[in-house]
Amino acid sequence: MKLSGLFLVFAIIASPAFAEGTSLGRGEGGRIVDFLPIVQQYNAKGELFRIQGVCKSACTLFLGIRNVCIERDATLMFHGGHDIQEDITGPDTRASRAMLDRYNKALRQYLLEGHYMDSGEYHTLLGSDLIERFGYKECPASLSDISAG
């Protein structure tokens, strides 16, 4: 009995569903140029990428990964991108366009119509909102969820 339970744990750990990347450690955002290669890498490989915890600013670029999922309790924080060369923040900066281009149509429209990309002030959406209102995929149960149950 113990051996079969141990085998199940190893099978779960080794399964592709639990080998995905995660936004953890990148949630505070940063420079867009540091995030775009990660988006490109995951899009090229097609692997699952999990958005979890707090995901601010450039971290939201991960929504542009074609096999992205969002945990219901994640918190995503959006704002207008800052263009250092032009020294402006707003929806027409190159930084904002780079972010908006990676969001799905419904989210992009919501952010633009609400003028949430017009300033550097954060606008917060929960993972559950992104799943239910904007059609993003919910993440499958994680290993910690399985072992806690």
Side-chain angles (χ1 to χ4, degrees):
M1 184 81 168
K2 285 186 178 183
L3 186 58
S4 65
L6 187 59
F7 176 75
L8 177 62
V9 169
F10 284 124
I12 289 170
I13 291 171
S15 74
F18 295 103
E20 77 273 358
T22 177
S23 63
L24 292 179
R26 300 177 184 104
E28 290 299 313
R31 296 172 357 129
I32 289 175
V33 296
D34 296 332
F35 284 74
L36 289 178
I38 299 167
V39 172
Q40 292 168 345
Q41 171 193 343
Y42 276 86
N43 280 338
K45 292 182 177 181
E47 294 175 2
L48 185 65
F49 190 92
R50 182 180 295 263
I51 295 178
Q52 52 192 148
V54 174
C55 182
K56 295 180 182 177
S57 188
C59 177
T60 64
L61 288 167
F62 294 143
L63 291 171
I65 295 173
R66 66 181 159 103
N67 196 10
V68 69
C69 69
I70 304 170
E71 292 191 351
R72 285 192 162 276
D73 62 351
T75 302
L76 286 87
M77 301 172 73
F78 302 86
H79 67 86
H82 182 77
D83 193 318
I84 295 170
Q85 291 177 343
E86 297 174 17
D87 197 28
I88 57 172
T89 300
D92 293 327
T93 65
R94 288 178 292 205
S96 289
R97 287 190 305 268
M99 290 191 292
L100 286 164
D101 286 348
R102 274 131 190 111
Y103 307 152
N104 72 18
K105 182 179 178 181
L107 177 59
R108 184 171 46 250
Q109 182 176 346
Y110 168 82
L111 292 170
L112 288 171
E113 287 177 357
H115 299 279
Y116 301 120
M117 301 298 284
D118 289 354
S119 74
E121 185 177 329
Y122 285 110
H123 177 69
T124 302
L125 288 171
L126 297 177
S128 56
D129 292 329
L130 288 156
I131 294 162
E132 294 166 13
R133 292 176 60 190
F134 302 106
Y136 285 94
K137 180 171 64 175
E138 182 175 0
C139 290
S142 69
L143 184 58
S144 60
D145 294 338
I146 292 170
S147 58

